[in-house]
Amino acid sequence: EAGASVLLLRACLALLALPIYVLSFLGMWEPFCRKVFFPFILDKIGIVHDKKSKKHKQELFCNLPDFRGPSGELRVLEIGTGSGSNFQFYPPGCRVTCTDINPNFQQSLSRNMKKNQHLHYERFLVAAAEDLRQVPSGSVDAVVCTLVLCSVHSVSSTLREVLRVLRPGGAFYFLEHVAAEHSSWKYFWQQVCYPTWKLIFAGCCLTRELWKNLEEAKFSELKIKHISVALPWTPIEPHIMGYGVK
C-alpha cells in the first residue's frame, strides 16, 4: 500500500513540475539548470543551510589543523566547492585547491574568496569528483566534501579518488544529507520527492545511505555522527558528518 501511495504522490508532484519535465525532454532544462537555476538556488538554500549547519561545521573542522603535513603546511582539496561556503572554517594560511564539475558559481565564489583572505587559493579545477586526475596522488593533507556525495554518479569511485589524493595519515571530512529511517514519514516523503527533486536539483539523490559507502571504503579510522539539520519543509533533514583517516 505504501508503494502505491508513493507512486500516486510522485505522479502528482510530476504534474506540478510538468513544465520542467517538458524542458528536460526537449534538452533545455539541463543547460539552464547548470548555468542559471542551480547556482542561483544553491546560493539561496546555501545561506539557510550555512546558518543551520554552522555549529556542526565548527565542530567538524575544529581538528583540521591536526592534519598539517610534515612541512607544517596544511594543503586542503575541496571537492564540489560551489560558492565556497566552507572557506570560513579553514585555519589561517592553509593552501586550498577547489574543484567543481560546474564552473558557473564564479560570482558567489569570488565573493567568498574576498571575505576569506586568511587562505591561500592555489587553483580551481573543473573536474568530476570521480576523476581528479589533475591532482597528484598523495599530494594533499585533507579533502573536504559537503553536500556533494548526494549527486555524484558513483560514491565508491569518488571515495577511491579521495583516498588516492590523500597522503597517508591525511583526512577526509564530510557533511552530507542522507536517507531517513526507513520506517519514518521522512523516508516516505523522500521516496515521493525523489524523481522530481533529482531532476530539479541537478541529480541530487535523497535516499543514499552514505554511511555504508564510507564504512566500505578503506579508511584506517572513521568517525561518523548522525545529526539533524533543521530545514523545515525539505526532505533533506537527516545528515551525517565526520572524518576518515587514510
Side-chain angles (χ1 to χ4, degrees):
E1 190 182 320
S5 311
V6 166
L7 290 176
L8 180 67
L9 288 166
R10 273 184 181 180
C12 297
L13 204 53
L15 212 56
L16 289 173
L18 192 61
I20 294 174
Y21 278 92
V22 171
L23 288 173
S24 175
F25 177 74
L26 297 172
M28 293 157 70
W29 172 252
E30 208 271 337
F32 171 76
C33 179
R34 196 176 58 238
K35 286 200 173 79
V36 182
F37 176 78
F38 196 57
F40 170 79
I41 204 78
L42 210 64
D43 201 33
K44 299 290 170 264
I45 291 177
I47 290 165
V48 178
H49 192 277
D50 289 345
K51 275 194 188 119
K52 303 284 188 184
S53 63
K54 187 166 186 172
K55 64 177 196 302
H56 295 302
K57 284 188 178 180
Q58 283 167 337
E59 181 191 332
L60 175 63
F61 294 122
C62 69
N63 68 341
L64 195 52
D66 299 350
F67 291 97
R68 287 180 200 282
S71 65
E73 277 196 326
L74 180 67
R75 293 156 307 169
V76 173
L77 170 74
E78 181 163 353
I79 296 174
T81 307
S83 60
S85 62
N86 292 325
F87 294 160
Q88 56 183 306
F89 302 104
Y90 298 164
C94 86
R95 301 191 165 275
V96 184
T97 297
C98 304
T99 74
D100 206 295
I101 196 169
N102 186 346
N104 297 297
F105 290 99
Q106 288 96 333
Q107 265 186 316
S108 43
L109 183 66
S110 52
R111 192 170 66 230
N112 271 321
M113 286 167 93
K114 283 196 188 86
K115 264 192 217 163
N116 294 283
Q117 296 192 353
H118 63 293
L119 307 175
H120 298 292
Y121 299 100
E122 301 273 88
R123 53 186 183 149
F124 184 94
L125 308 171
V126 177
E130 298 92 337
D131 180 9
L132 301 169
R133 71 181 77 172
Q134 300 169 77
V135 183
S137 300
S139 65
V140 296
D141 304 304
V143 175
V144 172
C145 183
T146 61
L147 303 185
V148 173
L149 294 177
C150 56
S151 55
V152 299
H153 289 300
S154 164
V155 177
S156 53
S157 307
T158 300
L159 295 176
R160 270 200 297 280
E161 277 291 78
V162 165
L163 283 160
R164 181 186 67 76
V165 302
L166 276 174
R167 64 164 174 81
F172 171 56
Y173 285 82
F174 53 88
L175 186 145
E176 299 283 343
H177 69 83
V178 291
E181 278 283 326
H182 281 212
S183 57
S184 66
W185 271 108
K186 278 182 187 151
Y187 185 68
F188 175 80
W189 285 113
Q190 284 180 334
Q191 287 182 295
V192 168
C193 298
Y194 188 95
T196 300
W197 183 276
K198 189 176 180 182
L199 174 68
I200 294 175
F201 294 104
C204 172
C205 299
L206 291 171
T207 55
R208 286 188 175 169
E209 299 178 331
L210 295 168
W211 62 91
K212 292 181 180 174
N213 303 92
L214 287 155
E215 282 158 6
E216 281 160 19
K218 308 253 184 318
F219 290 105
S220 63
E221 182 192 335
L222 182 62
K223 301 254 191 285
I224 298 181
K225 187 175 175 183
H226 286 257
I227 58 170
S228 180
V229 176
L231 296 161
W233 306 106
T234 74
I236 57 169
E237 274 187 48
H239 282 58
I240 54 168
M241 69 174 207
Y243 64 93
V245 179
K246 177 172 172 176

